[in-house]
Amino acid sequence: MAYEVEPPKYVRLAQTIQRRIEDGTYAPGTRVPSENQLVQSFGMSRPTVVRALELLKRDGWLESRQGFGTIVRGRPAVVAEKDRRGREALERDETMTSGRLIGVGEEPVPARVASALGLPKGAKVLARRFLVEEDGEPVELVTSYFPADLVDGTELPVDEPLIGSGRAHLEARKKVRFDHVTERVSARLPDAEVARLLGLPDGVPVLSVLVIACDASGRALQVSDVLLPADRQELEDTYRLN
């Protein structure tokens, strides 16, 4: 049985403001509505609004300028890089990608993925693990997790490279529709197997992009954990100082 986990109110508000920045409603260089206006527009408390704005400032979408208020910076370069990794994970055709399928099988869901999928600790999910290579060198390890009730009657459990993306496969076979994606970035030290697959020296961390793909109701259909060698990543952002 799956359990739906709704994001906190401040996260939902931050996501709404983020979408308005991306669609041009709040253009770069302009001021976002005041806290009072946001409270009235969304019917949320002031602490919720303040927390949402602080989250967007932390992630580079907004900035505070003395004498001007809260200004839209636009889409951060780091977000564009995350989105590229996330989109690749969702759209990848394993038969057309340089690399190799490491393994396919049912396994207990990791804690951070269980939370994203809305599953209890220890629940079984299908995992597909693929090592992406460039010029014969490993560049990322992608593990995609699927709820057990979505894989019946599909080719996802087959231990062979999948023709077409997992997203396209599910949408065609299970009549579900992917609607939006949330990405969480963190860094951690890899376990011995991940370090071996990525060819990492001792002590080198990995950058993890956790890609959570949901339908319109917020139910997670696929979660992909994209692991990248931290010593080979370079993210760039440019911004004004005044």
Side-chain angles (χ1 to χ4, degrees):
M1 178 179 180
Y3 298 87
E4 293 187 4
V5 180
E6 188 173 41
K9 286 184 178 180
Y10 79 93
V11 173
R12 300 203 303 273
L13 176 57
Q15 290 171 337
T16 298
I17 296 173
Q18 177 184 316
R19 286 195 292 271
R20 293 188 179 187
I21 294 172
E22 291 188 302
D23 68 18
T25 302
Y26 302 150
T30 64
R31 286 189 297 181
V32 296
S34 68
E35 291 177 9
N36 284 337
Q37 289 172 321
L38 291 172
V39 167
Q40 294 174 2
S41 296
F42 294 97
M44 294 186 177
S45 67
R46 183 176 298 276
T48 297
V49 169
V50 170
R51 197 170 180 187
L53 294 176
E54 288 302 319
L55 178 62
L56 290 165
K57 291 174 187 176
R58 186 201 69 186
D59 289 347
W61 293 89
L62 305 174
E63 65 175 309
S64 294
R65 293 186 191 173
Q66 188 171 4
F68 290 91
T70 301
I71 306 298
V72 176
R73 287 184 58 190
R75 185 179 181 82
V78 170
V79 173
E81 175 70 11
K82 291 190 297 179
D83 282 355
R84 182 177 74 82
R85 298 293 184 182
R87 182 170 293 277
E88 286 178 354
L90 293 177
E91 305 292 345
R92 177 172 287 117
D93 182 330
E94 294 171 351
T95 64
M96 303 295 291
T97 302
S98 177
R100 55 195 171 95
L101 189 65
I102 299 299
V104 179
E106 191 177 75
E107 60 184 57
V109 61
R112 64 199 301 262
V113 177
S115 174
L117 285 173
L119 295 174
K121 183 179 179 181
K124 294 295 184 69
V125 293
L126 179 75
R128 295 185 64 89
R129 194 162 285 112
F130 193 91
L131 183 67
V132 182
E133 299 175 334
E134 291 181 2
D135 300 322
E137 296 293 328
V139 293
E140 64 184 77
L141 179 63
V142 183
T143 305
S144 294
Y145 300 92
F146 303 89
D149 62 333
L150 277 184
V151 302
D152 290 342
T154 74
E155 295 176 8
L156 289 170
V158 178
D159 193 5
E160 294 180 2
L162 187 67
I163 299 175
S165 68
R167 171 188 175 181
H169 193 77
L170 284 176
E171 288 188 333
R173 296 293 183 89
K174 305 300 287 189
K175 307 305 179 185
V176 295
R177 181 173 178 80
F178 285 64
D179 180 77
H180 60 276
V181 172
T182 298
E183 297 183 2
R184 300 172 184 167
V185 179
S186 60
R188 64 177 186 265
L189 288 174
D191 60 30
E193 178 64 8
V194 170
R196 183 186 68 80
L197 289 170
L198 289 174
L200 297 177
D202 290 344
V204 174
V206 289
L207 185 68
S208 168
V209 182
L210 194 68
V211 184
I212 308 165
C214 303
D215 63 14
S217 73
R219 181 198 179 193
L221 304 174
Q222 174 180 340
V223 174
S224 295
D225 192 10
V226 183
L227 299 181
L228 309 151
D231 61 345
R232 304 173 208 166
Q233 306 305 311
E234 181 175 346
L235 303 179
E236 180 177 333
D237 193 8
T238 302
Y239 57 92
R240 293 189 296 273
L241 294 176
N242 53 26

